[in-house]
Every structure is written in structure tokens, then in C-alpha cells.
Amino acid sequence: MAVSNSLAKRQETSFTAYLKNDAVKNQINEVVGGKNGKRFISSIVSAVGNNPTLQECQNSSIVSAALLGESLNLSPSPQLGQYYMVPFKDNKTGTKVAQFQLGYKGYIQLAMRTGEYRYINAGKVYEGELKSEDKLTGAVDISGERVSDKIIGYFAYIETLNGFSKTYYWSREKLTEHVKKYSKAFQKGSAIWRDNFDEMAIKTVLRNLLSHYGIMSIEMSNALSD
């Protein structure tokens, strides 16, 4: 354990030293700068320090992923769940790189900024809560009484200022089949899915709802295409 902690400390120190490089500081200042630059550096140093797997990634990829989140005015704090820096193995170089991954709370933030939504909500559905699902209208009634802690599915709901509303409900089985087919992170057994399955599932349902029925800003469209 002591050896592992020592290695993590050296890796964290190496990343901190990397951020002091003039070229890196200029890159950060172009996007952030000033007092916000200090806040940005502090936040990503904290994120790296708390994630041993992230410490194994190329420093430049961590900064690039964090700058993309910063350009969207989102926080890298895992507690806020707005976006994540997810480690992936680059098969061409044999190294690990960090990639930007928007969280479901990040999608909600970007959607609300359009000023077009009255309500946006997404979450888990527990056993007993699902009463009915209308295949014709897509309306879902999840007002039933929860009978256990078993999660049977996930929902997302939007209502715009002009009165349009839409709900998606995906069973856990449907969600799993979808990500097996379309999510490279899930296919590769990424820790982001292993450690945050429910949150990633909620994001997947919300993302699909917004991409099919939501009112999109340029910022949202770019985020959905990532």
C-alpha cells in the first residue's frame, strides 16, 4: 500500500510540474486565463489526485479533456457529475489517454442554458414504480409505490416553454442492449461504466431523448456529437 501511495504521489507531482510548463500555461490561458485559470488548475489537479487511473494517462490528454469541459463552462468535479475525464488505452501508442465524457447533469446544464425548457428531469425507476407505458403516445406513469431497491429502468423527461413534453423510459435490459451495441466505453469495460453504471444509464436515456426531441443550441449539438 505504501509503495502504491508513493507512486501515486509521484505521478500527481509530475502532473503538477507539467502544468507549470510555459507552453501548457499558454494553452490554458487561451481558454481560461486570469483568476479562472487558477481555479481551473486547482480543479484538475484535485481530479487527478483523486483518481489513480487518471494519473496513468498522458498529461496532455488530461489537459485537453479538461479544457473541453471548461469551454462548455462545466465543472470536472466527480461529485457534480457534469463531465468526466475517462481513461482509455490508445492501441496505436500503447499508452493511456484521458477523454472527455459528458455526464447527464452536464446535459441538463447545457439544455437549461438554451432558455427553452420548463422542466428537464431524469432518473432511476425502481421495482413497483412503473404503472403503465403508452406505446402510442410515449406517456409513462411511474407513480407506483416502490416495493424494493431493485432498479428496473431509467427515465428522462422534457417539457419546453411552448408546452411540448416527451418522456422516455428504457428498461434496464433495453439500456444494456443499447450500450452493448453503441458505447465503445461500455464495450471496452471502461471504469466509468463499471463504477457509475446508473449515472451513465441515465445519461444515455437523456441524451437520446434530447437528440430526438429536444431544442438544441450549437453548444448542445456539439456535445451530443462527441
Side-chain angles (χ1 to χ4, degrees), residues 31 67-75 82-83 100 102-103 105-117 120 207 210-211 214-226:
V31 179
L67 284 174
L68 179 52
E70 184 68 21
S71 70
L72 295 172
N73 196 26
L74 298 173
S75 170
Q82 294 182 353
Y83 79 89
F100 174 86
L102 196 61
K105 293 180 182 177
Y107 279 110
I108 291 175
Q109 283 286 321
L110 296 180
M112 293 303 293
R113 288 178 198 167
T114 67
E116 299 288 348
Y117 294 89
I120 302 178
R207 174 192 175 115
L210 288 171
S211 64
I215 298 174
M216 311 286 282
S217 64
I218 294 176
E219 162 177 85
M220 276 190 68
S221 297
N222 291 337
L224 285 167
S225 66
D226 287 335

Side-chain angles (χ1 to χ4, degrees), residues 78-141:
Q79 289 74 26
L80 294 179
Q82 294 182 353
Y83 79 89
Y84 301 93
M85 294 176 284
V86 184
F88 282 95
K89 184 176 180 180
D90 186 335
N91 292 325
K92 293 182 179 179
T93 63
T95 60
K96 283 188 177 180
V97 296
Q99 293 184 2
F100 174 86
Q101 183 82 254
L102 196 61
Y104 85 88
K105 293 180 182 177
Y107 279 110
I108 291 175
Q109 283 286 321
L110 296 180
M112 293 303 293
R113 288 178 198 167
T114 67
E116 299 288 348
Y117 294 89
R118 180 175 286 111
Y119 301 112
I120 302 178
N121 194 17
K124 310 167 191 173
V125 179
Y126 292 89
E127 186 177 25
E129 291 183 330
L130 180 65
K131 295 180 70 174
S132 65
E133 182 180 5
D134 191 317
K135 290 186 178 181
L136 183 62
T137 65
V140 177
D141 184 349

